[in-house]
Amino acid sequence: MKIENSVVLVTGGNRGLGKALVDEALARNARKVYAAARDPKTVTNPDAIPLRLDVTNPESIAAAAREAGDVTVLINNAGVTANANLLTGDIGEIRSEFETNFYGPLYVTRAFAPIIVGNGGHLLNVLSVMSWLATGRSYSATKAAFWSMTNGLRLDLAPQGVGVTGLHVGYIDTDLVAHIDAPKISPEDVARQAIDGIENGAFEVLADEVTRKVKRGLSADPSALYPQLATE
């Protein structure tokens, strides 16, 4: 579907990749773009419509769905990272990570599904290369679950005329990973590829070479993905 004249909602649309997605949708002449955030005052693009939304709060989600009943494209972008050790990490912290990264987009999608179905829309879920790599510990677990959910939603929404795109990417050059010394892709580049994916009806967007390499390696011996665990 075309972004031009569409109505887009981006969760976590106030910074990082979310802001880049908002900016890209507006640059492609979306009729309206809701930039959803817990604090709408943090939305800085004057052409976006700030929308109060806490993806872990069902009442907040319901209120947002009532306010943004004209949405045609829903982008589940909001997320957090704890990278907690699964054996020794704080269970409350891990549970909170799942509340935001898995249950959050599930709650939001369930609330907006009747809207995007009725408006003939599209769903984009922001996943990660960590959907396929366990090195992110608890974060990887949430993204693996989110990937599986995305595939399930595609099966549920396709008969209703709604396409679902999963966006996988490695390190994006944002504040979230500023402390990590590794190759990073710009959020603007990722946003461009993501919106292209929506317009092309892609099932999946692999936004950088690291992600493409890992995806190709999924059919190989698992030790190829985790050489540090290989034994002689």
Side-chain angles (χ1 to χ4, degrees):
M1 66 171 296
K2 291 295 183 183
I3 292 299
E4 185 175 5
N5 293 323
S6 66
V7 178
V8 181
L9 188 154
V10 182
T11 68
N14 57 326
R15 62 189 179 90
L17 177 59
K19 181 181 183 301
L21 288 163
V22 168
D23 295 346
E24 183 67 20
L26 287 167
R28 299 203 194 191
N29 298 315
R31 178 163 56 87
K32 185 187 295 185
V33 178
Y34 294 99
R38 289 183 177 181
D39 181 0
K41 294 178 182 177
T42 60
V43 174
T44 57
N45 190 316
D47 295 321
I49 299 174
L51 180 68
R52 186 180 303 279
L53 176 60
D54 179 348
V55 302
T56 66
N57 185 318
E59 293 180 0
S60 175
I61 295 169
R66 288 193 297 270
E67 185 172 344
D70 52 352
V71 168
T72 56
V73 177
L74 171 62
I75 300 179
N76 283 314
N77 165 74
V80 297
T81 177
N83 289 338
N85 186 292
L86 294 171
L87 290 177
T88 61
D90 182 85
I91 287 294
E93 191 174 58
I94 295 172
R95 189 183 301 276
S96 178
E97 198 173 21
F98 266 93
E99 285 293 335
T100 300
N101 294 355
F102 178 80
Y103 288 107
L106 179 59
Y107 295 150
V108 171
T109 301
R110 286 167 67 105
F112 279 90
I115 295 171
I116 59 175
V117 167
N119 294 335
H122 197 92
L123 172 67
L124 172 75
N125 285 340
V126 178
L127 305 170
S128 170
V129 68
M130 291 299 175
S131 303
W132 306 315
L133 288 175
T135 51
R137 304 309 198 272
S138 59
Y139 178 75
S140 293
T142 67
K143 287 300 185 177
F146 191 16
W147 177 44
S148 184
M149 183 226 295
T150 298
N151 293 332
L153 289 171
R154 185 178 296 112
L155 295 176
D156 292 337
L157 289 170
Q160 302 181 69
V162 172
V164 177
T165 299
L167 170 65
H168 294 268
V169 65
Y171 290 128
I172 304 174
D173 193 9
T174 66
D175 292 343
L176 187 66
V177 295
H179 63 288
I180 296 176
D181 182 16
K184 300 170 187 175
I185 187 171
S186 74
E188 293 77 16
D189 192 358
V190 177
R192 176 185 56 78
Q193 294 184 65
I195 299 301
D196 283 347
I198 293 173
E199 294 198 323
N200 294 330
F203 280 8
E204 192 170 73
V205 174
L206 308 179
D208 59 7
E209 183 53 36
V210 170
T211 302
R212 290 187 285 270
K213 181 178 179 180
V214 170
K215 181 65 185 294
R216 289 194 300 268
L218 290 180
S219 61
D221 187 322
S223 64
L225 295 178
Y226 305 103
Q228 70 273 30
L229 300 181
T231 59
E232 295 183 1

